[in-house]
Each structure stands twice: as C-alpha cells, then as structure tokens.
Amino acid sequence: MISRVMSAELAEHAGQRVTIAGWVHRRRQLKSVSFLVVRDRTGLAQVVGAGDLPGEESVVEVTGTLAANPQAPGGFELVEPEVEVLARACVAPPFDLYRPVVGAALPTILDHAPVALRHPRLRAPLEISAASVAGFRATLDGLGFTEVHTPKIVASATESGANVFGIDYFGRPAYLAQSPQFYKQALVGVFERVYEVGPVFRAEPHDTVRHLAQYTSLDAELGFVRDHRDVMAVLRDAVAGMLESVRHRAGAALDLLGVTLPEVPAEIPAVHFTEAQRLTGSAEPDLSPAQERWLSEWALREHGSEFLYVTGYPMAKRPFYTHPDPARPGYTNGFDLLFRGLELVTGGQRLHRYADYVEALAARGEGTEAYEGYLQAFRYGMPPHGGFALGLERWTARLTGAANIRQTTAFPRDLHRLSP
Ligand code: AMO
C-alpha cells in the first residue's frame, strides 16, 4: 500500500514532509507559480510549485512540506513538491470536474460515467445511497434479521409475467429475477426474519424518470406477524435507521447537495386505499403518479409527514401471494409507502398456507406447476408472514431531489442504455 496522508488530515501534520496521492483535480499555471489540486477520497489538497503539470484526472503521488495557507482547501498546502505521475490521463475530461456546477447534460454524464462520477456533486448521491444501505443493514441486523443472497437466474416470473427478461440457461428458458419474493418467503421458513440487498431486473417498456431495467431492491420478510401492520412498523424503523446512517456517514454529501433530510414520524400516517380514492376523487383500481403526488402533499398538510402509507389495495391489483383483508372482501393486507410524491415501497402480508396458494392461483386461472419450487416451503408449514421491498434508486432520488432516477446509480440500465 502506498503510505500516504489523506487530504482531510493535513492539519494533523503541519510542518511535516508528507506524501499524498490522488487525481489531478485542477491544474493552474500562473506566470510565476503553478498550482495543482489533488483529489483523494476524503477531499482536496493543494500543491504549489510543481514543475511540469500532468493533465487533469492523471493519477499522482506528491511528497511535499505542509505549510499553512488559509486560502488552500483544509488550510494547508504542500510546498517544495516532488511529483510522481502514476498514470497520465490520455484525454481531457468531457467537462471540468473542478467547477462546482456540473457543466454537462445527463446523456453526456451517463456516456462518460467512469470519469463523470468523479465530480463531487455526481458522486454525492452514490455516497448517500451507500450510507442508506449501511443503515438498512444495521437496523435489520439489530432486529434479529439474517442477510440472505438469492438467485438472480430463476425459473418463473414473480411479479406477473410481464416485464421479465428471458435468458437461455444451458438451452433451457429462464428469467432474470424481478424480485427475490419467492426466495425470501422460503427463507422465512428457515430464519424467521431475512433481508436482502441485491439487483432485480425489470424489462420496463416505459422510458420514465422513475424506472430502470435493473435496480437495487432492499427486501425484508418476517414471520409471526399478526398482519401487515407489523411489517409497516419494521419498515418505519428501517427507514429511520437509513436516515440516521445518512446523517452520520454522508454529511459532506448532504452539505454539498444542500439536502434536508425528512423526519420519520414515530407512526407513519396511513390511509386505506378506498379513503385514498375518496380523497383524490378517483374510482380507478390503482393510484396514478399524479394521485400519489397529491396524496403526499395531503399527508404533509394534514399530518406533517413526508411519508404516507396507503393500505388495502384491491386484490385484482396485487400479486397472487398477497393476503386478503379478512374484514373487507376484494381488498388486501398489502400496502405501499409513498415518500415525497412517489411510490417508494411495496409490501404486505402474504398467504402462508399451501391450500390458499392453490386456490389463489386457480382464481387467476393458473395451475401450481410453474410454482412448485416456490410452493414447497408451504407444504411444510410456514408462519403468518409479510415483508416489503424498497427501491434504492427511488429513495436516493427523492432524498437528493434528483429529477431523474438515472442520476442516483453509477451505470444505469434502461430501454436504451447498455454501456458503459
Ligand atoms: P414492486 O414491484 O412494487 O414490489 O417493487 C418494489 C419497489 O421497487 C421499486 N421499483 C423500481 N425502481 C426502479 N425501477 C423500476 N423499474 C422499479 N420497479 C419497482 C419501487 C417499488 O415500490 N415483491 C414486491 C415487494 C414485496 O411485496 O415485498 C415487489 O417487487 O420503489
């Protein structure tokens, strides 16, 4: 390992000769003196008086003496430097990475993602996303959940047959997993409480700012619930833990983007689907994006909450594994969590008896053949259970105010984009 001082720690080494290493963030050749700003994972450091300066984004190792300069980042700069170029940049970046404002449109950014993401503002959402996942894991670990990893190549579609990518699996048809749904349920039979952070695939035919063909799903599933409300309570704690972690681990990214984190109420307000219909004056069996936005505004106005649960979606609009509401025929124990105008989470209580699955599939005109692998767990006894899935990119987009979900993941996959 190259032994180096990080740019955030310069003050601890005042007056000493130190080595830093990183990327040439900016170079400036004035008449009498040259400035080099080196970027590492903790921030920026200024180097004064280096001779021949390599191009921006070249990788350098610089040894110099730390002198105080209130104008330099961190209040110190390296003087009398010796610069070793570890890798010289062959081309200039597509836009200046040192300017505070990103001077490029989204397609340019995405086409040049490996270098564009080095811009502190473009990297910041990824830092917030990483901190969110750390908080999700820590919270669920603390609640007795076990992290699991389930196959992404599967034999049947989970979230209805549409939007599924087919692949050739050693000459047999297979699919890319649309969700870990069946596996996380089966693992409730093993661990009682499980979660997974992993990629899921949706062959989304729509080119929207909130859909990706591959996204990261934060899934959880737990046994021995009374109904979906126990799941909603766990989700509330997971969201609070994610925000707490973002606050602690990604403070610099929040400041850079000027993000204000939401408060999570001790109990997130909830409205039944029929009430949501009444409030929005709709008779449709699902909520439109415009209605979701309206309901979010209503929740903020009426309850002072940026989060809102909508419960009891109609049976016809939920997958076959959803538990019906015993008290309201035609409606489910399924819910969505809306956050700042967008559906962020889907969840609910599931069926847990084998016979109920057979019946639910039959009611939708399906046999059990395609699902035998999945249904095995239920033949052997499963507790009442439920769970949820939170879309990580939607979460980060809503937290950071990103207008497009493509700004919240390093290498987005969509209808048109397969590279880089
Ligand atoms: P659902 O299909 O609603 O539910 O997905 C759950 C959450 O995933 C996010 N999401 C997406 N994000 C980006 N691009 C997409 N194409 C996309 N599609 C969905 C949303 C959504 O709320 N098995 C159930 C979950 C469960 O009941 O546990 C499921 O996958 O944030």
Side-chain angles (χ1 to χ4, degrees), residues 158-159 163 178-182 184 200-204 210-221 318-319 321-322 335-337 342-348 350 386-395 405:
T158 49
E159 311 303 319
N163 301 356
Q178 294 164 299
S179 105
Q181 186 63 38
F182 295 172
K184 66 176 178 170
V200 296
F201 306 89
R202 304 276 171 105
E204 293 288 349
R210 57 180 194 286
H211 288 97
L212 294 167
Q214 173 179 338
Y215 68 92
T216 302
S217 186
L218 273 52
D219 273 87
E221 198 73 21
R318 297 302 250 210
Y321 52 76
T322 311
F335 64 83
D336 275 4
L337 177 63
L342 186 65
E343 174 207 313
L344 173 69
V345 182
T346 294
R350 330 294 189 184
F388 62 83
L390 180 153
L392 180 63
E393 293 80 359
R394 285 194 182 184
W395 162 258
I405 195 169

Side-chain angles (χ1 to χ4, degrees), residues 292-414:
E292 289 176 350
R293 282 196 296 276
W294 190 92
L295 285 167
S296 272
E297 283 163 23
W298 173 83
L300 191 57
R301 223 169 38 237
E302 294 295 316
H303 300 281
S305 172
E306 299 203 74
F307 297 91
L308 176 69
Y309 278 126
V310 179
T311 62
Y313 280 79
M315 279 301 273
K317 284 287 154 190
R318 297 302 250 210
F320 69 89
Y321 52 76
T322 311
H323 200 291
D325 178 350
R328 283 176 106 142
Y331 294 93
T332 63
N333 279 356
F335 64 83
D336 275 4
L337 177 63
L338 307 185
F339 172 43
R340 295 185 172 167
L342 186 65
E343 174 207 313
L344 173 69
V345 182
T346 294
Q349 185 187 357
R350 330 294 189 184
L351 299 173
H352 62 279
R353 296 193 192 96
Y354 182 72
D356 293 340
Y357 274 94
V358 176
E359 200 179 305
L361 281 165
R364 292 177 193 233
E366 287 200 66
T368 54
E369 305 74 34
Y371 303 98
E372 278 308 331
Y374 167 47
L375 294 179
Q376 227 188 97
F378 302 96
R379 287 180 188 267
Y380 293 103
M382 285 284 286
H385 64 283
F388 62 83
L390 180 153
L392 180 63
E393 293 80 359
R394 285 194 182 184
W395 162 258
T396 306
R398 274 299 170 265
L399 273 192
T400 60
N404 194 318
I405 195 169
R406 290 163 185 77
Q407 292 161 262
T408 67
T409 184
F411 304 107
R413 289 290 170 264
D414 63 24

Side-chain angles (χ1 to χ4, degrees), residues 238-255:
V239 166
M242 290 166 76
L243 289 170
E244 192 57 22
S245 173
V246 169
R247 205 169 277 124
H248 280 105
R249 291 170 178 250
L254 292 177
D255 290 346

